Amino acid sequence: MAKKRGGLGRGLDALFADAASIYEEEQEETAAEEEQSPPKKKAPAKREKKSIDTEDTKDRILYIDINDIKPNKDQPRKTFNKDRIRDLADSILENGVIQPLIVRKAANGYELVAGERRWRASREAGLSKVPCIVRDFDEKQNMIVAIIENMQREDLDAIEEAAGLQAMAERFHFTQEQISSSLGKSRAYIANSLRLLKLPEVIQQYVKDGKMSAAHGRTLINIEDSKKQLQLAERIVKEGLSVRETERLADHIKDEVNPKRKKQREKDADMAVVENELRTQFGTKVLIRGTQKKGKIEFEYYSLEELNRLIEALRKAK
């Protein structure tokens, strides 16, 4: 597996056995050679009957009946491209399943933790068994690993990712800082991702469908007039507006609603640069009002949790 970094902590390296064999026949032959007592009298089939709970099979690839594996109920990815699944199925028929699936025990059989695309493609390819590594994950670990795997492979759209992060917060009472630590992403990244869920469903769908980017979506969030917000979203889709063009139009709309806002935005370039730096550092909208001689800095927050996060961040800032 290609090791893909980019700030995801230790990633999945500790979860996947990269060097393990991917074909059942090779696994059995290797297992027989390792035992050496004597190699010809020890039938490989007996190894398959061992309990997966033993230390001997803890990190070994097991070939599990594909019908005994059920999808992960916490899978953040909701959309699977049929053409890509078909292409992957063709590759599996040609080369086998290169990366084993990660599963955990369920009441009846097993539940996927990571690898649903491979599982779906293997079913389409007609495989009866798939290579798996069985791990003893609890509900919290199951959700975190499912999200990390998809993020690491860039398989999630921005809305699916935001919904997964929100589920972590709601189901397991994670703070944004804990989510940040678990996934190896900055708190600003987490906060900006979650803000996308404030958009109307129709605009969220545009983001999911790739008709506009997450950056477009974040630009639209601060337009309070829902009708104008939707009109601008439709222009983005129809005209292919860039994020910069969208920002200018969004500012114009907000100026129309609040004429005073235009004067407040007319500040020198240095002040605007500092404002953007603070937005990035603290993960929320920051406004610097006034002149170079006198004014005030405003931080926006959208929940008590976010207020507490900002207070703590300001205390640590030097």
Side-chain angles (χ1 to χ4, degrees):
M1 177 183 75
K3 288 179 167 52
K4 197 170 182 181
R5 298 298 179 187
L8 280 175
R10 68 190 186 116
L12 302 180
D13 294 349
L15 302 175
F16 293 157
D18 295 338
S21 71
I22 61 170
Y23 295 108
E24 189 169 11
E25 311 85 66
E26 294 176 6
Q27 176 187 323
E28 291 173 351
E29 290 171 5
T30 303
E33 290 172 3
E34 287 175 351
E35 290 186 1
Q36 296 288 327
S37 65
K40 291 185 179 180
K41 292 183 181 180
K42 196 78 172 181
K46 292 182 180 179
R47 294 189 62 83
E48 290 186 80
K49 296 178 181 178
K50 282 189 175 184
S51 168
I52 63 169
D53 293 327
T54 64
E55 288 296 320
D56 186 47
T57 59
K58 182 179 179 182
D59 292 317
R60 183 163 300 185
I61 293 179
L62 303 174
Y63 288 78
I64 296 174
D65 190 316
I66 199 166
N67 294 317
D68 289 341
I69 302 172
K70 301 298 182 290
N72 185 347
K73 64 181 183 297
D74 290 323
Q75 165 66 265
R77 188 176 186 185
K78 306 303 180 185
T79 304
F80 294 85
N81 185 289
K82 292 183 179 180
D83 291 334
R84 291 184 179 179
I85 292 293
R86 194 172 298 113
D87 290 342
L88 182 55
D90 291 340
S91 174
I92 286 173
L93 285 172
E94 182 70 22
N95 305 299
V97 181
I98 302 300
Q99 179 66 61
L101 285 63
I102 306 298
V103 299
R104 65 174 186 156
K105 278 187 172 182
N108 295 308
Y110 302 88
E111 180 184 38
L112 275 169
V113 175
E116 185 163 342
R117 285 184 70 249
R118 278 164 279 154
W119 176 75
R120 287 172 177 262
S122 296
R123 291 183 70 90
E124 181 149 333
L127 270 61
S128 60
K129 292 183 179 181
V130 285
C132 301
I133 297 176
V134 181
R135 289 295 164 90
D136 184 22
F137 288 142
D138 60 24
E139 293 292 323
K140 187 182 298 184
Q141 291 170 316
N142 180 37
M143 174 173 281
I144 291 173
V145 173
I147 292 174
I148 289 176
E149 192 217 17
N150 281 286
M151 289 176 67
Q152 207 165 54
R153 288 177 169 81
E154 298 182 351
D155 282 342
L156 296 178
D157 63 58
I159 301 301
E160 288 176 330
E161 180 176 296
L165 299 179
Q166 186 179 59
M168 289 177 67
E170 292 178 350
R171 286 185 56 187
F172 303 113
H173 307 292
F174 273 36
T175 64
Q176 288 186 10
E177 185 170 358
Q178 288 172 321
I179 295 174
S180 168
S181 177
S182 297
L183 301 181
K185 289 288 189 179
S186 69
R187 285 183 296 181
Y189 179 94
I190 302 301
N192 284 328
S193 179
L194 289 170
R195 290 180 69 214
L196 292 173
L197 299 179
K198 298 178 183 293
L199 289 167
E201 288 188 13
V202 63
I203 299 180
Q204 288 189 34
Q205 192 62 47
Y206 285 152
V207 177
K208 286 175 66 67
D209 294 340
K211 294 179 179 179
M212 69 170 64
S213 69
H216 283 105
R218 286 191 292 270
T219 301
L220 294 172
I221 290 171
N222 294 319
I223 298 177
E224 296 179 358
D225 187 318
S226 59
K227 185 177 179 180
K228 292 183 181 296
Q229 185 185 56
L230 182 56
Q231 287 174 344
L232 182 52
E234 291 172 345
R235 284 193 63 182
I236 294 170
V237 174
K238 292 177 181 178
E239 301 175 24
L241 299 177
S242 68
V243 174
R244 188 176 293 271
E245 289 171 330
T246 303
E247 288 173 345
R248 284 198 293 266
L249 289 169
D251 283 337
H252 180 69
I253 291 171
K254 286 180 278 188
D255 287 344
E256 287 180 339
V257 176
N258 182 9
K260 292 182 179 180
R261 182 182 178 279
K262 185 175 182 179
K263 293 182 179 180
Q264 293 170 347
R265 289 195 305 107
E266 292 174 348
K267 55 189 70 174
D268 61 52
D270 290 338
M271 202 76 88
V273 169
V274 173
E275 195 175 71
N276 286 328
E277 288 176 352
L278 291 173
R279 287 178 184 175
T280 300
Q281 180 178 350
F282 292 98
T284 193
K285 186 176 180 180
V286 180
L287 293 175
I288 301 177
R289 302 182 184 276
T291 66
Q292 292 181 341
K293 295 182 178 180
K294 183 178 180 180
K296 57 185 177 180
I297 301 175
E298 296 181 358
F299 292 82
E300 289 195 5
Y301 61 90
Y302 308 94
S303 66
L304 179 59
E305 178 191 327
E306 193 163 9
L307 172 60
N308 290 331
R309 177 183 70 79
L310 286 171
I311 291 172
E312 186 62 28
L314 287 168
R315 284 172 176 166
K316 293 180 180 178
K318 294 183 179 179

